[in-house]
Amino acid sequence: MTFLFKKYSLFFFFLIFNLTIFSTGYTGATELKKPVIVASTTQIADFARQVAGDQALVKSILAPGADPHTYNVTPDDVQIVLGADLCIENGLHLEGKNWMSTLAKDAKKTLITATDGIQALSISQGGQSIPDPHAWFSPKNVVVYVNNITRGIIALDPGNKALYRARAKLFLQQLRVLDAWIKEQINAISPQQRILVTTHDAFNYFCREYRLNEKNDFLSIAPVGWSTGAEVGAGITPERRHKVIESIKASGAPAIFVETTINPKQIREIAKETGVKIGGELYSDSMGPEGSAGETYIGMMRENTLLIVNAFK
Amino acid sequence: MRFLLTILIWIFFVGGLWGYTTQRDASLPKGPAQVTAPKVLTGSYVLEITPSFSIEKDPFALALDDDASQTPGLEIRLNGRALGVDAGQIKRGKVIRITKNLKLSQGFNEFYVKASPPMAETDLDHGLRVRLLDRGVPVVDQTVWGSSGAVVAGTVSFSLAAQKEDVHD
């Protein structure tokens, strides 16, 4: 035994030394490991970031500008979800063919549906009643998103509950100020002039909340239905297109809008046919890229409002 | 012999490092300095809050399962501790009087007040008048303001001297 120690003394020295160093390093790495939260859309990722702050790593499956209705998952998405501690989806079939819940289910991960508890607007199409998934266009609905997300994050990491609550409270008050500000901006336009025509039916909650499109029961006017995918009541139909053209001609809408996530071909054709200008590009199903004004929810809503109000003037 | 020498060198370096870090940490303060609890004043204080608006439940408030407050839309704290207010419906101009748990300290004190105005009044500025009365005499009288429909929230800081009957000299 002594012989062995003598022969391999240097080896034992380095063994003990390295074990000491590695054990210290391992403890540090454990402390630095943050929970990983994976959101389906850029909006939900932003809400989660506002609550989680530096306590968690938040990732979005959709890149800015991507369309959640027609998105096809990739092998990279599977890997991202496999590394998640918590998954969050919008729900109400925003994620075409429920791709986010399928990803989370396959990876056996906890999934939160951020719209749980929201009183969804119903769209009647093709004899069916479909819940409108674009609920984030009303800041009051985002309160429900934030409450659901905060509950989920606290359940994941109860030790930092006070931090999550404090951040959520701050964000909700920012939403309150945003809501009051949008009302102030929209109010500067007469109700008869507030005609919002967009590429697809994403702005129902915005129109209902801020009283736009009075003659369409305060719902959005668009040639393409609630989804750009192949779901029931989705896509473009000749009837919808005709209705939009008639609405523009009857109302004298000064401008119509394209959306960042959808090919603007349809809306450009309608603009040409009716002789109205394109008011600009609205953030709809996705927020803007990093560094743009629309990279956060508040920025996106602010820019959309300014674009709409300026086109109405 | 070489084995023993290796062990000795190892002990020398590791022991030296341990000795250095122990000595370095010993010179650091052990924890926060001991603060003597401030003297609680025993006068007959009354806190009066008068809103210039009807207080309503804030639709933008965090609503987790443990967030039920006694009076929705109103939050009052004294020196970091919540003062339970059960004032029912609070209309514009109604004076809310609080005497319970009003543990004021000698020296620096701070009230935090937060109230939610109606969402329909986003075009108005709102205020919360905060008065602290000592035997009916106002010792603090400040108004916290909020604009454009935002929640009215702010702190009211003040200092209280020892009461006359508390001074024994």
Side-chain angles (χ1 to χ4, degrees), chain B residues 12-137:
Chain B
F12 174 76
F13 278 111
V14 174
L17 189 64
W18 176 80
Y20 164 72
T21 50
T22 310
Q23 195 186 15
R24 185 196 59 186
D25 294 347
S27 62
L28 295 171
K30 296 285 179 211
Q34 291 297 310
V35 181
T36 50
K39 190 180 176 189
V40 176
L41 299 174
T42 53
S44 54
Y45 290 102
V46 178
L47 172 65
E48 282 186 0
I49 309 278
T50 316
S52 70
F53 52 92
S54 300
I55 295 176
E56 288 186 359
K57 189 180 174 190
D58 182 5
F60 288 87
L62 186 68
L64 304 182
D65 303 330
D66 52 352
D67 279 317
S69 65
Q70 285 171 300
T71 301
L74 178 68
E75 189 180 341
I76 304 170
R77 287 188 227 147
L78 167 61
N79 295 332
R81 279 184 303 105
L83 295 176
V85 185
D86 192 4
Q89 200 183 9
I90 301 166
K91 294 276 182 196
R92 183 191 310 269
K94 178 184 173 180
V95 181
I96 307 157
R97 287 192 176 80
I98 300 161
T99 51
K100 255 188 188 176
N101 299 321
L102 213 54
K103 291 175 183 167
L104 291 147
S105 308
Q106 188 180 321
F108 183 79
N109 288 274
E110 194 171 71
F111 284 117
Y112 170 77
V113 287
K114 182 172 135 185
S116 168
M119 290 302 291
E121 295 179 6
T122 53
D123 52 335
L124 298 176
D125 290 345
H126 298 104
L128 272 178
R129 188 181 183 191
V130 180
R131 295 208 313 160
L132 180 70
L133 310 173
D134 181 7
R135 297 177 188 87
V137 179

Side-chain angles (χ1 to χ4, degrees), chain A residues 45-56:
Chain A
D46 184 42
F47 304 151
R49 259 182 223 115
Q50 298 290 342
V51 177
D54 278 340
Q55 261 67 47

Side-chain angles (χ1 to χ4, degrees), chain A residues 92 114-123 130-136 138 140-145 148 204-205 208-209 219:
Chain A
L92 301 175
T115 51
D116 268 356
I118 279 176
Q119 286 194 321
L121 286 173
S122 281
I123 312 162
I130 303 148
D132 184 350
H134 308 87
W136 65 86
S138 161
K140 280 184 191 139
N141 285 342
V142 177
V143 176
V144 180
Y145 278 76
N148 286 332
N204 287 320
Y205 292 93
R208 188 53 69 84
E209 190 67 49
L219 293 171

Side-chain angles (χ1 to χ4, degrees), chain A:
Chain A
M1 190 71 182
T2 317
F3 166 75
L4 272 175
F5 272 113
K6 269 184 183 175
K7 195 173 179 185
Y8 298 108
S9 58
L10 208 60
F11 168 77
F12 281 116
F13 167 73
F14 279 112
L15 182 72
I16 293 166
F17 182 77
N18 287 341
L19 279 175
T20 314
I21 298 294
F22 281 125
S23 62
T24 318
Y26 181 74
T27 313
T30 311
E31 281 168 6
L32 286 174
K33 194 187 174 296
K34 293 176 180 178
V36 176
I37 299 166
V38 176
S40 59
T41 69
T42 50
Q43 285 91 347
I44 293 171
D46 184 42
F47 304 151
R49 259 182 223 115
Q50 298 290 342
V51 177
D54 278 340
Q55 261 67 47
L57 185 64
V58 180
K59 296 177 182 176
S60 169
I61 294 284
L62 285 191
D67 184 347
H69 301 296
T70 54
Y71 186 71
N72 291 315
V73 294
T74 66
D76 282 351
D77 299 334
V78 176
Q79 286 305 313
I80 291 171
V81 172
L82 278 172
D85 296 296
L86 179 68
C87 295
I88 313 172
E89 65 164 2
N90 183 86
L92 301 175
H93 306 292
L94 176 78
E95 295 87 354
K97 296 172 188 165
N98 297 323
W99 54 260
M100 187 64 192
S101 61
T102 308
L103 275 172
K105 202 175 165 187
D106 289 350
K108 295 186 173 62
K109 301 291 177 180
T110 309
L111 177 75
I112 291 172
T113 301
T115 51
D116 268 356
I118 279 176
Q119 286 194 321
L121 286 173
S122 281
I123 312 162
S124 254
Q125 275 172 355
Q128 284 199 23
S129 185
I130 303 148
D132 184 350
H134 308 87
W136 65 86
F137 276 113
S138 161
K140 280 184 191 139
N141 285 342
V142 177
V143 176
V144 180
Y145 278 76
V146 173
N147 281 324
N148 286 332
I149 290 169
T150 307
R151 260 186 227 111
I153 296 177
I154 288 173
L156 176 70
D157 179 20
N160 286 314
K161 182 181 177 180
L163 300 178
Y164 300 133
R165 285 179 58 106
R167 288 198 197 97
K169 277 186 168 184
L170 173 64
F171 184 54
L172 292 177
Q173 286 313 304
Q174 289 173 340
L175 292 179
R176 181 174 170 136
V177 174
L178 172 76
D179 179 63
W181 179 83
I182 296 174
K183 278 181 186 152
E184 184 196 347
Q185 296 297 315
I186 300 285
N187 182 257
I189 307 296
S190 79
Q192 292 72 34
Q193 268 184 290
R194 298 177 203 162
I195 318 292
L196 182 64
V197 181
T198 55
T199 312
H200 92 301
D201 251 348
F203 290 81
N204 287 320
Y205 292 93
F206 191 83
C207 291
R208 188 53 69 84
E209 190 67 49
Y210 301 111
R211 316 312 277 170
L212 282 83
N213 296 345
E214 183 196 358
K215 287 184 179 164
N216 195 38
D217 193 23
F218 300 108
L219 293 171
S220 74
I221 302 169
V224 179
W226 69 276
S227 168
T228 54
E231 290 88 344
V232 174
I236 188 163
T237 62
E239 293 79 32
R240 289 187 66 93
R241 195 176 186 282
H242 178 72
K243 193 184 167 190
V244 168
I245 290 169
E246 289 305 309
S247 296
I248 294 167
K249 284 178 178 170
S251 64
I256 56 177
F257 299 86
V258 294
E259 297 170 30
T260 53
T261 52
I262 303 170
N263 188 331
K265 191 181 162 219
Q266 295 290 346
I267 218 80
R268 286 197 193 284
E269 281 176 8
I270 290 170
K272 204 173 168 186
E273 208 170 311
T274 53
V276 296
K277 64 176 181 180
I278 300 283
E281 203 177 37
L282 297 174
Y283 296 107
S284 61
D285 287 351
S286 168
M287 300 193 313
E290 201 178 329
S292 71
E295 73 169 319
T296 62
Y297 173 76
I298 289 178
M300 160 191 153
M301 294 294 280
R302 182 191 64 223
E303 296 309 308
N304 278 356
T305 304
L306 289 174
L307 203 65
I308 291 166
V309 169
N310 276 327
F312 287 167
K313 277 180 181 168

